[in-house]
Amino acid sequence: MSEEPFDGDRSIHDLVGVGFGPSNLALAIAIAEHNAELPPTPGTRPATAAFVERQRGFGWHRGMLLEDATMQVSFLKDLVTLRNPKSDFSFLCYLQSRDRLIDFINQKNFFPSRMEFHDYLQWAAELVDGDVTYGREVVEIRPVLRDGEVAWFDVVSADVTGDAGPLVHRARNLVLGTGLTPRLPDGVTADDRIWHTRDLLPKAERLKVEAPSAKRFVVVGAGQSAAEAVDYLHREFPQAEVNAVITRYGYSPADDSAFANRIFDPAAVDDYFAAPAQVKQMMLDYHGNTNYSVVDQELIEDLSRRVYQEKVRGEERLRLLNVSKVTEAVRLGDKVQTVVESMISGERQVLEADAVVFATGYRQPDPAALLGDFAAECRRDEAGQVVVARDYRIDLGPRVRAGVYLQGGTEHTHGISSSLLSNTSVRSAEILASVVANAEVRHPSFIG
């Protein structure tokens, strides 16, 4: 880090968001609405922000936009409603703009399809007046000193096509919203026949062309994505055998009862943040079945019916290999040699599959990956996890005035909803309020 003289002419954003998924999209909307409501007082100025996104356009879990898949959260937990029910960016305003409001109401359903909700997110991304640069990947974050303190960050991004040079945004605050990283078992590398569910649709569509007579699939996992992958492959490849490898006896239903769902309430974040470490773990253990390794009851029943009907017909294409695990998945030509081991007997069977799909979840992001050497300034707890304040700001050293906020990667401090849509609108409002409050201390003309 080097000292840099103050350049009053250089553009400095109040915040730069890394990533432009639903979380930072909600933040961009919150900023736009905050600025629109500023009083016309002399000397006030709006909050300024820029966002950098690696994808060439807005996209959210495109590989799992299955035709019949529905959202697992209410449409009321959209980008804005819990923060501002009057917002023009609500899901209901989206429906009105698409001339489907009455039709949606007549469905008597709180849970839109995943495809429709993605269209809503894309609509909001196009509608919001935000400075978003697509097709660029952040490759470096440089702390900038002033008077011996870290006052700003320079966010350096590279063009993903290589057609343009680096771009630098300077910011008083960073908001890291890079999303989750697909998790694969140790020793497994994804390719055109070994997939993570994140890439299910494009990989499967390609396989339909390259191997239309595919005979066998293996799907590893016990959660919603795994069950959806089994359902999809079983329907789309009607001649193929689909093997579901799960460590349980069968799929477990998600607990979406009214009381259990209170773990996703905004107030639950306060409770979780204030709780002792052992209580935090207890809450995760008690309520993990609201989100992790669980499946919608309707899909469980549908898959169970298919298994039984195939047994009746004597043509078992959908096979549940329960209390089992995959110990090896090796690419051999255009096949994947997959070893499935019974966790009870230790017996192994070798399945030669046309493709293996791992529904093995995602890893929470570690900000150190982006912050480089500056990550040493992040205080960590006894478990080695970043210490995060209630306003989602990382606890940094005393000589750091600039802020780093997290959109995700805070389950250990803020609870189970950290990586989900449930609190997106409220979390974004809290981050913005913190940015504005800290800016007001340093710059009295910034009124929020």
Side-chain angles (χ1 to χ4, degrees):
M1 292 181 285
S2 60
E3 186 82 18
E4 180 168 321
F6 177 65
D7 182 357
D9 294 329
R10 176 150 189 183
S11 175
I12 303 177
H13 298 284
D14 292 305
L15 68 88
V16 166
V18 181
F20 199 65
S23 293
N24 273 346
L25 169 56
L27 178 58
I29 295 170
I31 292 169
E33 294 185 341
H34 163 84
N35 290 341
E37 295 174 358
L38 283 176
T41 306
T44 62
R45 67 174 181 83
T48 58
F51 298 87
V52 181
E53 169 56 48
R54 179 173 49 192
Q55 296 184 96
R56 299 185 186 182
F58 185 87
W60 177 69
H61 293 302
R62 288 185 179 274
M64 286 296 289
L65 295 181
L66 305 172
E67 185 175 349
D68 297 328
T70 58
M71 297 294 295
Q72 293 175 284
V73 297
S74 165
F75 72 88
L76 293 172
K77 293 183 176 181
D78 56 17
L79 296 168
V80 294
T81 298
L82 293 183
R83 172 181 62 80
N84 176 17
K86 299 182 292 184
S87 173
D88 291 335
F89 292 88
S90 70
F91 184 77
L92 292 179
C93 286
Y94 154 78
L95 289 173
Q96 182 70 19
S97 74
R98 294 287 197 257
D99 195 27
R100 290 202 307 268
L101 180 57
I102 294 297
D103 294 330
F104 182 84
I105 293 171
N106 288 339
Q107 297 298 308
K108 300 179 181 179
N109 191 348
F110 269 68
F111 305 98
S113 72
R114 203 174 291 155
M115 291 179 64
E116 183 174 34
F117 202 80
H118 184 275
D119 189 55
Y120 157 66
L121 295 174
Q122 201 164 30
W123 168 84
E126 293 170 356
L127 184 64
V128 67
D129 182 17
D131 180 2
V132 185
T133 304
Y134 290 102
R136 283 193 166 270
E137 182 172 11
V138 173
V139 295
E140 186 180 6
I141 293 175
R142 302 172 185 158
V144 181
L145 296 180
R146 183 185 180 195
D147 299 332
E149 297 179 321
V150 176
W152 311 296
F153 295 105
D154 279 347
V155 181
V156 185
S157 60
D159 184 79
V160 295
T161 64
D163 294 336
L167 182 66
V168 180
H169 291 88
R170 178 162 292 185
R172 298 181 178 90
N173 300 278
L174 298 179
V175 181
L176 306 183
T178 54
L180 303 174
T181 303
R183 178 190 287 116
L184 290 172
D186 293 340
V188 173
T189 302
D191 61 21
D192 60 332
R193 295 300 176 96
I194 299 176
W195 315 335
H196 188 274
T197 45
R198 180 191 67 171
D199 303 313
L200 177 64
L201 280 178
K203 297 285 190 181
E205 290 302 314
R206 180 176 176 180
L207 189 65
K208 287 179 183 179
V209 176
E210 296 180 350
S213 59
K215 296 299 182 185
R216 178 179 287 151
F217 294 92
V218 175
V219 179
V220 184
Q224 182 72 21
S225 295
E228 289 178 356
V230 168
D231 169 55
Y232 170 78
L233 294 170
H234 189 260
R235 288 187 287 104
E236 294 295 314
F237 294 85
Q239 304 304 315
E241 173 187 288
V242 180
N243 296 269
V245 181
I246 55 181
T247 56
R248 307 176 181 185
Y249 267 99
Y251 298 112
S252 298
D255 184 354
D256 61 354
S257 59
F259 289 128
N261 272 339
R262 293 177 68 176
I263 194 68
F264 302 114
D265 290 354
V269 177
D270 291 317
D271 294 338
Y272 189 93
F273 187 83
Q278 67 272 21
V279 177
K280 283 183 169 69
Q281 188 59 53
M282 181 188 71
M283 293 168 74
L284 288 176
D285 293 341
Y286 282 163
H287 297 288
N289 65 344
T290 58
N291 183 61
Y292 299 118
S293 297
V294 289
V295 182
D296 287 343
Q297 183 69 39
E298 185 178 352
L299 180 54
I300 293 175
E301 293 173 356
D302 180 45
L303 292 175
S304 178
R305 278 194 297 270
R306 288 191 229 177
V307 170
Y308 181 75
Q309 289 166 358
E310 288 183 355
K311 285 184 177 181
V312 171
R313 295 196 300 267
E315 47 180 48
E316 298 180 39
R317 285 201 309 115
L318 202 167
R319 303 175 63 224
L320 262 66
L321 308 181
N322 53 15
V323 200
S324 299
K325 61 183 179 180
V326 168
T327 60
E328 187 177 315
V330 179
R331 182 71 181 268
L332 297 176
D334 61 355
K335 303 291 183 181
V336 182
Q337 181 173 289
T338 311
V339 179
V340 180
E341 179 182 309
S342 167
M343 298 171 67
I344 298 174
S345 66
E347 181 183 353
R348 296 186 172 193
Q349 59 176 309
V350 179
L351 300 176
E352 187 179 77
D354 292 277
V356 178
V357 185
F358 286 93
T360 43
Y362 293 84
R363 289 188 176 89
Q364 294 279 349
D366 187 330
L370 273 178
L371 296 178
D373 293 341
F374 183 76
E377 299 286 344
C378 301
R379 192 162 73 86
R380 293 181 180 266
D381 60 20
E382 294 178 355
Q385 296 175 303
V386 172
V387 175
V388 186
R390 177 60 185 84
D391 60 0
Y392 299 93
R393 180 171 171 150
I394 294 177
D395 188 348
L396 300 169
R399 65 192 187 104
V400 182
R401 290 169 51 199
V404 180
Y405 295 83
L406 298 182
Q407 293 258 40
T410 59
E411 185 174 280
H412 62 294
T413 52
H414 290 69
I416 199 170
S417 67
S418 294
S419 62
L420 307 176
L421 289 172
S422 298
N423 279 321
T424 298
S425 61
V426 175
R427 179 175 65 242
S428 294
E430 291 172 342
I431 290 174
L432 176 59
S434 177
V435 168
V436 170
N438 285 311
E440 180 63 16
V441 170
R442 298 191 302 269
H443 308 283
S445 63
F446 193 125
I447 296 179

